[in-house]
Coordinates of all heavy atoms in Angstrom, one line a residue:
D1 N -13.5 0.8 -8.5 CA -12.4 0.0 -7.9 C -12.7 -1.5 -7.7 O -13.8 -1.9 -7.4 CB -12.3 0.6 -6.5 CG -11.7 2.0 -6.4 OD1 -11.1 2.3 -7.5 OD2 -11.9 2.7 -5.5
S2 N -11.7 -2.3 -8.0 CA -11.9 -3.8 -7.9 C -10.5 -4.4 -8.0 O -9.4 -3.7 -8.2 CB -12.7 -4.3 -9.1 OG -12.0 -4.0 -10.4
R3 N -10.4 -5.7 -7.8 CA -9.1 -6.4 -7.9 C -8.6 -6.4 -9.3 O -7.4 -6.2 -9.5 CB -9.3 -7.8 -7.4 CG -9.6 -8.1 -5.9 CD -9.7 -9.5 -5.6 NE -9.9 -9.7 -4.2 CZ -10.0 -10.9 -3.6 NH1 -10.0 -12.0 -4.3 NH2 -10.2 -10.9 -2.3
I4 N -9.5 -6.5 -10.2 CA -9.0 -6.4 -11.6 C -8.4 -5.1 -12.0 O -7.4 -4.9 -12.6 CB -10.2 -6.7 -12.6 CG1 -10.8 -8.1 -12.4 CG2 -9.8 -6.5 -14.0 CD1 -11.9 -8.5 -13.2
K5 N -9.1 -4.0 -11.5 CA -8.6 -2.6 -11.7 C -7.2 -2.4 -11.1 O -6.3 -1.9 -11.6 CB -9.5 -1.6 -11.2 CG -9.0 -0.1 -11.4 CD -10.1 0.9 -10.9 CE -9.6 2.3 -11.1 NZ -10.5 3.3 -10.6
A6 N -7.0 -3.0 -9.8 CA -5.8 -3.0 -9.1 C -4.7 -3.7 -9.9 O -3.6 -3.2 -10.0 CB -5.9 -3.5 -7.8
T7 N -5.0 -4.9 -10.4 CA -4.1 -5.6 -11.2 C -3.7 -4.9 -12.4 O -2.5 -4.9 -12.8 CB -4.7 -7.0 -11.6 OG1 -5.1 -7.7 -10.3 CG2 -3.7 -7.9 -12.3
S8 N -4.7 -4.4 -13.1 CA -4.4 -3.7 -14.5 C -3.5 -2.5 -14.1 O -2.6 -2.2 -14.9 CB -5.6 -3.3 -15.1 OG -5.4 -2.5 -16.2
A9 N -3.8 -1.8 -13.0 CA -3.0 -0.6 -12.7 C -1.6 -0.9 -12.3 O -0.7 -0.2 -12.7 CB -3.6 0.2 -11.5
A10 N -1.4 -2.0 -11.6 CA -0.1 -2.5 -11.2 C 0.7 -2.8 -12.5 O 1.9 -2.5 -12.7 CB -0.2 -3.6 -10.3
F11 N 0.1 -3.5 -13.4 CA 0.7 -3.9 -14.7 C 1.1 -2.7 -15.5 O 2.2 -2.6 -16.1 CB -0.2 -4.8 -15.5 CG 0.4 -5.4 -16.7 CD1 1.5 -6.1 -16.7 CD2 -0.3 -5.2 -18.0 CE1 2.0 -6.6 -17.9 CE2 0.2 -5.7 -19.2 CZ 1.4 -6.4 -19.1
S12 N 0.3 -1.7 -15.5 CA 0.4 -0.5 -16.3 C 1.6 0.3 -15.6 O 2.5 0.9 -16.4 CB -0.8 0.4 -16.3 OG -1.8 -0.3 -16.9
V13 N 1.7 0.3 -14.3 CA 2.8 1.0 -13.6 C 4.1 0.4 -14.0 O 5.1 1.0 -14.2 CB 2.6 0.9 -12.1 CG1 3.9 1.4 -11.4 CG2 1.5 1.9 -11.7
L14 N 4.2 -1.1 -14.1 CA 5.4 -1.7 -14.4 C 5.9 -1.3 -15.8 O 7.1 -1.1 -16.1 CB 5.2 -3.1 -14.3 CG 5.1 -3.8 -12.9 CD1 4.8 -5.2 -12.9 CD2 6.4 -3.5 -12.1
I15 N 4.9 -1.2 -16.8 CA 5.2 -0.9 -18.2 C 5.7 0.6 -18.2 O 6.7 0.9 -18.9 CB 4.0 -1.0 -19.1 CG1 3.5 -2.5 -19.1 CG2 4.3 -0.6 -20.4 CD1 2.2 -2.7 -19.8
A16 N 5.0 1.4 -17.4 CA 5.4 2.9 -17.4 C 6.8 3.0 -16.9 O 7.7 3.8 -17.4 CB 4.5 3.6 -16.5
I17 N 7.2 2.3 -15.8 CA 8.6 2.3 -15.3 C 9.6 1.8 -16.4 O 10.6 2.4 -16.6 CB 8.7 1.4 -14.0 CG1 7.8 2.0 -12.9 CG2 10.1 1.3 -13.6 CD1 7.7 1.2 -11.7
G18 N 9.2 0.7 -17.1 CA 10.0 0.3 -18.1 C 10.3 1.3 -19.3 O 11.4 1.5 -19.7
I19 N 9.2 2.0 -19.6 CA 9.4 3.0 -20.6 C 10.3 4.1 -20.2 O 11.1 4.6 -20.9 CB 7.9 3.6 -21.0 CG1 7.1 2.5 -21.7 CG2 8.1 4.8 -21.9 CD1 5.7 2.9 -22.0
A20 N 10.0 4.5 -18.9 CA 10.8 5.6 -18.4 C 12.3 5.2 -18.3 O 13.2 6.0 -18.7 CB 10.4 5.9 -16.9
V21 N 12.6 3.9 -17.9 CA 14.0 3.5 -17.9 C 14.6 3.4 -19.2 O 15.8 4.0 -19.5 CB 14.0 2.1 -17.2 CG1 15.4 1.4 -17.4 CG2 13.7 2.1 -15.8
I22 N 13.9 2.9 -20.2 CA 14.4 2.9 -21.6 C 14.7 4.3 -22.2 O 15.7 4.6 -22.8 CB 13.4 2.2 -22.5 CG1 13.4 0.7 -22.2 CG2 13.8 2.4 -24.0 CD1 12.3 0.0 -22.9
Y23 N 13.7 5.2 -21.9 CA 13.9 6.6 -22.4 C 15.1 7.4 -21.7 O 15.9 7.9 -22.4 CB 12.6 7.5 -22.1 CG 12.7 8.8 -22.5 CD1 12.6 9.2 -23.9 CD2 12.9 9.9 -21.6 CE1 12.8 10.5 -24.3 CE2 13.0 11.2 -22.0 CZ 12.9 11.5 -23.4 OH 13.0 12.8 -23.8
L24 N 15.2 7.2 -20.3 CA 16.4 7.7 -19.7 C 17.6 7.1 -20.1 O 18.7 7.8 -20.2 CB 16.1 7.6 -18.1 CG 15.0 8.4 -17.6 CD1 14.7 8.1 -16.1 CD2 15.2 9.9 -17.7
W25 N 17.7 5.8 -20.4 CA 18.8 5.2 -20.8 C 19.3 5.7 -22.2 O 20.5 6.0 -22.4 CB 18.6 3.6 -20.9 CG 19.9 2.9 -21.4 CD1 20.0 2.4 -22.7 CD2 21.1 2.7 -20.8 NE1 21.2 1.8 -22.9 CE2 21.9 2.0 -21.8 CE3 21.6 3.0 -19.5 CZ2 23.2 1.6 -21.4 CZ3 22.9 2.5 -19.2 CH2 23.7 1.9 -20.2
N26 N 18.3 5.9 -23.1 CA 18.6 6.4 -24.4 C 19.1 7.8 -24.3 O 20.1 8.2 -25.0 CB 17.4 6.4 -25.2 CG 17.0 5.0 -25.7 OD1 17.8 4.1 -25.7 ND2 15.8 4.8 -26.2
L27 N 18.6 8.6 -23.3 CA 19.0 9.9 -23.2 C 20.4 10.0 -22.6 O 21.2 10.8 -23.0 CB 18.0 10.6 -22.2 CG 18.2 12.2 -22.0 CD1 17.9 12.9 -23.4 CD2 17.2 12.7 -20.9
F28 N 20.6 9.1 -21.6 CA 21.9 9.1 -20.9 C 23.0 8.6 -22.0 O 24.1 9.1 -22.0 CB 21.9 8.1 -19.7 CG 23.2 7.9 -19.0 CD1 23.7 8.9 -18.2 CD2 23.9 6.8 -19.2 CE1 25.0 8.8 -17.6 CE2 25.1 6.5 -18.6 CZ 25.7 7.6 -17.8
S29 N 22.7 7.6 -22.7 CA 23.7 7.0 -23.7 C 24.0 8.1 -24.7 O 25.1 8.2 -25.2 CB 23.0 5.9 -24.4 OG 22.8 4.8 -23.5

């Protein structure tokens, strides 16, 4: 655990949310 780990985790979560949105949008479309 560290600030760098927290920052990396937050960045990864944002990317994961973006991927989920794109996938769901393609599925919905």
Side-chain angles (χ1 to χ4, degrees):
D1 293 337
S2 65
R3 291 183 179 179
I4 296 177
K5 181 178 181 179
T7 302
S8 176
F11 184 55
S12 298
V13 168
L14 290 175
I15 298 174
I17 292 173
I19 292 173
V21 169
I22 293 171
Y23 180 75
L24 291 174
W25 174 256
N26 287 342
L27 188 64
F28 177 76
S29 298

